[in-house]
Amino acid sequence: IQKEIQIKNKNIEDSINYAKKIQGALLPDFSLFTNYFPQSFVFYKPRDVVSGDLPWFYVKDEWIYIAAIDCTGHGVPGALLSFVAYFLLNNAVSQFNDPSPSKILNLLNENVRHTLKQENNKSENHDGMDIALCKINHKNLYMEYAGAHRPLFLLRQNELTEYKGDRRAIGGLLTSRKTERSFNNYNIKLKKRDKIFLFTDGLTDQLGGPYGRKYTANRVKDLILENKNYEMQEIQSIIQNDFTNWHKGTRQLDDLLMIGIEL
């Protein structure tokens, strides 16, 4: 029995490690990312071998689309949903001329529900994703943003502005009682040296510290403001070290993703 268990565990481990290689192929080419934004970072820390969080990057004409995606769950189920998110996002951007982030999220919402058969009243599939999506023209210094449960932080000199995403997810079952509105689309004029931050709730919801409390978005804000004059890679290091110290001795609860961009 022990031998049989060892063989099964080995097969499962090999299978998940192979899945990690496949998921790794979906990750953006970070060298391409830094070609457009030399002062940028991606803090990516799956809870398990494979992840339900996914950074996404797409270049179309003069526009650069960037997203921090947080799929339901983590591990293998989350990773399967990340494949759905990746291909549906690529399809949404490629079939329209310069679509706005809100248009992309509206289309993604419809297509996730269709793909997971959530339009059926008898469906019990509640899965979906949260996402922060921005569209940047780095030459004209202009950005559009839309979010599903996820915010965008913009640091300009000494001031940090939070653009809140809509309080709804992508996907999930339809309810006859609610009429869904289009996702809000923010139009933001940028300036040189502006810093932009996108992140999933694996960062802010992590329990730790002396009282076992959440890390919180306010703590992220404070760290960014306290270190506003540092280069982006230094800010990344500060946040990573602070997060590691925060949950020292406790298990990481969820996948984690944070993207930082400096214009």
Side-chain angles (χ1 to χ4, degrees):
I1 292 173
Q2 186 177 4
K3 179 82 170 177
E4 187 177 340
I5 290 171
Q6 287 174 346
I7 292 170
K8 286 183 177 179
N9 285 343
K10 177 75 165 52
N11 290 338
I12 292 169
E13 189 176 311
D14 289 346
S15 179
I16 293 174
N17 284 331
Y18 197 80
K20 180 184 179 182
K21 290 182 181 180
I22 297 172
Q23 188 178 46
L26 300 186
L27 296 177
D29 183 343
F30 295 125
S31 64
L32 179 63
F33 188 67
T34 53
N35 281 343
Y36 289 96
F37 304 107
Q39 292 295 323
S40 60
F41 70 81
V42 177
F43 175 21
Y44 179 60
K45 191 177 182 184
R47 195 197 82 162
D48 302 310
V49 180
V50 289
S51 174
D53 284 8
L54 184 74
W56 178 80
F57 181 66
Y58 194 104
V59 180
K60 185 175 184 180
D61 302 323
E62 72 272 21
W63 293 102
I64 301 164
Y65 293 83
I66 302 163
I69 307 165
D70 181 2
C71 298
T72 304
H74 39 75
V76 173
L80 287 173
L81 278 174
S82 77
F83 280 83
V84 174
Y86 176 84
F87 289 109
L88 290 182
L89 273 173
N90 283 355
N91 185 59
V93 177
S94 64
Q95 67 178 295
F96 295 105
N97 290 325
D98 303 330
S100 67
S102 62
K103 183 172 184 176
I104 293 169
L105 293 194
N106 290 328
L107 185 61
L108 182 65
N109 189 41
E110 292 175 12
N111 289 340
V112 165
R113 283 190 174 137
H114 179 71
T115 301
L116 300 181
K117 298 180 173 60
Q118 293 170 336
E119 300 153 331
N120 187 337
N121 292 332
K122 296 180 181 179
S123 174
E124 296 182 358
N125 188 315
H126 296 262
D127 296 320
M129 59 204 67
D130 298 338
I131 181 171
L133 171 64
C134 62
K135 167 187 175 184
I136 299 174
N137 188 315
H138 69 296
K139 293 181 180 177
N140 294 335
L141 295 178
Y142 185 77
M143 175 172 68
E144 295 180 38
Y145 163 74
H149 276 313
R150 302 311 312 145
L152 177 145
F153 288 174
L154 173 63
L155 177 66
R156 178 172 295 164
Q157 296 179 340
N158 298 322
E159 184 178 350
L160 190 148
T161 304
E162 178 180 358
Y163 295 90
K164 294 185 177 181
D166 290 71
R167 296 184 66 181
R168 50 184 281 220
I170 299 293
L173 297 179
L174 282 167
T175 60
S176 57
R177 291 173 294 176
K178 286 187 178 180
T179 301
E180 286 190 328
R181 294 179 297 177
S182 174
F183 283 92
N184 288 313
N185 200 75
Y186 294 92
N187 298 279
I188 306 161
K189 182 64 180 172
L190 300 171
K191 292 184 178 181
K192 273 292 183 185
R193 302 288 293 173
D194 279 355
K195 294 181 173 73
I196 299 160
F197 300 89
L198 312 171
F199 53 90
T200 62
D201 63 6
L203 176 66
T204 53
D205 288 355
Q206 176 64 44
L207 299 179
Y211 304 107
R213 294 175 179 168
K214 289 185 178 182
Y215 194 76
T216 75
N218 283 334
R219 189 178 182 92
V220 178
K221 286 181 185 177
D222 291 342
L223 281 171
I224 292 171
L225 283 169
E226 288 167 9
N227 301 282
K228 58 183 178 291
N229 296 321
Y230 285 93
E231 298 295 331
M232 289 297 272
Q233 285 75 16
E234 293 174 294
I235 294 176
Q236 176 191 7
S237 180
I238 288 165
I239 292 174
Q240 282 188 219
N241 291 336
D242 188 71
F243 179 82
T244 300
N245 291 331
W246 178 264
H247 83 91
K248 188 178 291 182
T250 62
R251 190 180 180 213
Q252 183 177 332
L253 298 178
D254 200 359
D255 302 315
L256 183 157
L257 170 63
M258 184 176 194
I259 301 172
I261 306 157
E262 182 176 335
L263 275 296

